[in-house]
Amino acid sequence: MLPASIQITGELLSAAEVQDICESLKEDSVRLLSVRGCQLSDRDFGHVCRGVAESRSLAQLNLNLGVVSSISRTRHLADALKANRSLQTLFLHGSPLLDAGLVTLNPALSTHPTLVCLDLGDCMLGDEALGLICGMLPPDGAKSGLRELTLSANPGISSKGWARLAIAVAHSSQLRVLNLDYNPLGDQIAGMLAVAVASSRTLEVLDLEGTGLTNQSAQVFLDMVENYPTSLRVLVLAENAISPELQQQICDLLSEGEEDDRDAPLPRSEPASNRALLPVRFKHQPIRRTQQAPTWLLPHSNFSHQVFSLTSGVGDSLQSDTEV
């Protein structure tokens, strides 16, 4: 039987439901586990983490909307990630990690052998945390790193921190999707990011929605895509003080570049599946730790497993459940 998808939203989880989840994880029958916005006891959270540690099939874990709500839970998750060897995508959007939480998670995140997609949006991070995240974007010739990174709505990061990230992006040999929406970046940081995009040989998607940009930033990006070769294919500039005409010009130029790439042969060293990269997440306004109505639960014993397949941004078949 193919691995299944367990998705629960906004539920108060009972001990029996947690036991069902843990048994499925330990039997390697789960590929995607999402308990976004759910309430469960610290003890049960520890049980789930032990199941994650033992699972050899789990590829995507969604703990969005405050499930990782304390430093003790962060430690449980860090221990699970140290033991796990299958996880590719981790969503922690809307978790109050703070810098201390990222310090706790960093050894496990930075050494995980298969993790390529990480969502740390709205996690109340600062410069210390961002410095650790930059270490997950190793330069050319170094070990592999993240391919997709989300840092939406972390206003505690300073301009110095964002400048450090721009440098890391410029030299990253793996990063393809970068989501920075709803951060107060402004034109100065956007200019640094434009230089990083021009230097990067892999970055294809940059989301700068609602980041305080003006036509000044748009002109810089327009000049870049018009006059210099770049891997960029998607640039999101919505909800900024940028004229629709400038946004359309940039979009048209990026579309032309994408069409040219379709006509060109792929390098032998890069599989076609890795070139067709699109971000897998729903756009949203930053909303802190709000509960939503339950969707559905796939218990271990009461219902038959259901299988979902969707090509994710990292090239594997995973169910998309990234909305927050």
Side-chain angles (χ1 to χ4, degrees), residues 138-145 173-174:
D140 287 344
K143 64 180 181 179
S144 62
S173 59
Q174 298 289 328

Side-chain angles (χ1 to χ4, degrees), residues 18-50:
V18 170
Q19 183 178 358
D20 286 338
I21 292 171
C22 293
E23 289 178 4
S24 295
L25 287 169
K26 292 175 182 178
E27 291 175 2
D28 296 326
S29 61
V30 179
R31 184 161 173 79
L32 181 156
L33 173 61
S34 174
V35 290
R36 52 190 297 273
C38 289
Q39 301 176 53
L40 66 166
S41 68
D42 288 344
R43 179 180 179 182
D44 284 341
F45 182 84
H47 290 330
V48 171
C49 285
R50 282 192 286 276

Side-chain angles (χ1 to χ4, degrees), residues 133-146 168-169 171-175:
I133 293 166
C134 289
M136 302 176 203
L137 305 174
D140 287 344
K143 64 180 181 179
S144 62
L146 295 175
V169 170
H171 292 282
S172 171
S173 59
Q174 298 289 328
L175 190 66

